[in-house]
Amino acid sequence: MSMADTITFQMSNKMNCFHHFQPRVEEFGEKHGLPVKVVFHLNLVLDELITNIISYGYTDFDEHPINVRVGIEDDVITIRIEDDAEPFNILEAPEPEFDVPLEERIRPVGGMGVHLVKSMVNNIDYKREDGKNVLVLTKNISKPCCLVKG
Amino acid sequence: MAMNELKENGITILAVDGNLDAEGTQAMEEKVLSLLAGGETCLLFDFSDLDYINSSGLRVLVLAYQRLKKASGKIAICGIKDYIQEVFEVSGYDKIFPLFPNRGDALTGM
């Protein structure tokens, strides 16, 4: 049986991000009987990406909308995030300095958030469109992850 | 997020329950910094009831690791759930932090 469902919500860079989306993601997970681990992955992916946008994305102090859509169709979950922050392509972000011992790293956990995101999804698409970043991530819950390995 | 601190066999145990979101992580960071400033050299994080951690939470653990390494101290983590252990594996931090299944094992193994 095929099933499709989508939740959308608008956030702003002035919001406490986790408190805003976490209850919605939990509810979505419950409705579709998603494993605890998958719900954790969804929360972590949204948290890391939205926190990045809020922390580094803006050059002014104004309020900006961040539009989020999470959908499921059969075994494929799609996350879409659209923001009007500065251009940022997660696919071009530097990886953590894995080859350098931890105590010698200049950026101890630099790039780790993005690395975690890549490890929890199967595909990432980025485009800059009409002055907006549009990021689409897909996760197939019937397949092992993912874009990177630890 | 809730934190509970106690001392056993000279080891300070910090049990962290619930979610280490931005707010929780900030509270844990303040706690860890104050413990380190107070001269603690042996820290055990009990994550048995921890449901959520992100890269900022990992950053606080790395900070504690780096400080304690300089002070010839010890740090370990126990009780983490399998899906959180995966975050440690993906980040490579499972090779840095001793991970124990439970508090008892950590106290004898540290």
Side-chain angles (χ1 to χ4, degrees), chain B residues 63-78:
Chain B
L63 175 145
Y65 168 86
Q66 289 175 323
R67 297 272 185 95
L68 285 174
K69 177 131 194 179
K70 275 184 202 149
S72 306
K74 280 186 193 166
I75 185 165
I77 297 164
C78 71

Side-chain angles (χ1 to χ4, degrees), chain B residues 33-79:
Chain B
L33 288 175
S34 90
L35 287 169
L36 294 173
E40 292 295 345
T41 54
C42 229
L43 269 183
L44 172 62
F45 290 88
D46 188 339
F47 285 165
S48 304
D49 291 309
L50 183 71
D51 299 317
Y52 184 81
I53 190 166
N54 59 23
S55 63
S56 307
L58 294 177
R59 184 184 55 79
V60 174
L61 298 173
V62 168
L63 175 145
Y65 168 86
Q66 289 175 323
R67 297 272 185 95
L68 285 174
K69 177 131 194 179
K70 275 184 202 149
S72 306
K74 280 186 193 166
I75 185 165
I77 297 164
C78 71

Side-chain angles (χ1 to χ4, degrees), chain A residues 96-149:
Chain A
E97 309 162 277
F98 283 117
D99 46 341
V100 181
L102 192 58
E103 52 270 34
E104 289 164 29
R105 284 182 205 168
I106 302 163
R107 305 170 289 126
V109 285
M112 197 54 85
V114 166
H115 179 76
L116 292 178
V117 168
K118 288 179 180 169
S119 79
M120 288 171 182
V121 297
N122 299 88
N123 192 56
I124 299 176
D125 272 315
Y126 170 82
K127 61 182 174 189
R128 183 77 180 175
E129 201 175 59
D130 302 327
K132 286 176 177 165
N133 296 305
V134 181
L135 193 62
V136 179
L137 309 99
T138 54
K139 181 175 179 66
N140 188 331
I141 56 174
S142 64
K143 281 188 191 166
C145 283
C146 286
L147 290 179
V148 293
K149 278 283 161 224

Side-chain angles (χ1 to χ4, degrees), chain A residues 1-6 28 32 34 70-78 139-142:
Chain A
M1 188 186 75
S2 171
M3 59 165 187
D5 184 29
T6 303
F28 181 79
H32 296 286
L34 300 178
V70 181
I72 185 166
E73 189 166 1
D74 299 322
D75 287 339
V76 179
I77 298 173
T78 305
K139 181 175 179 66
N140 188 331
I141 56 174
S142 64

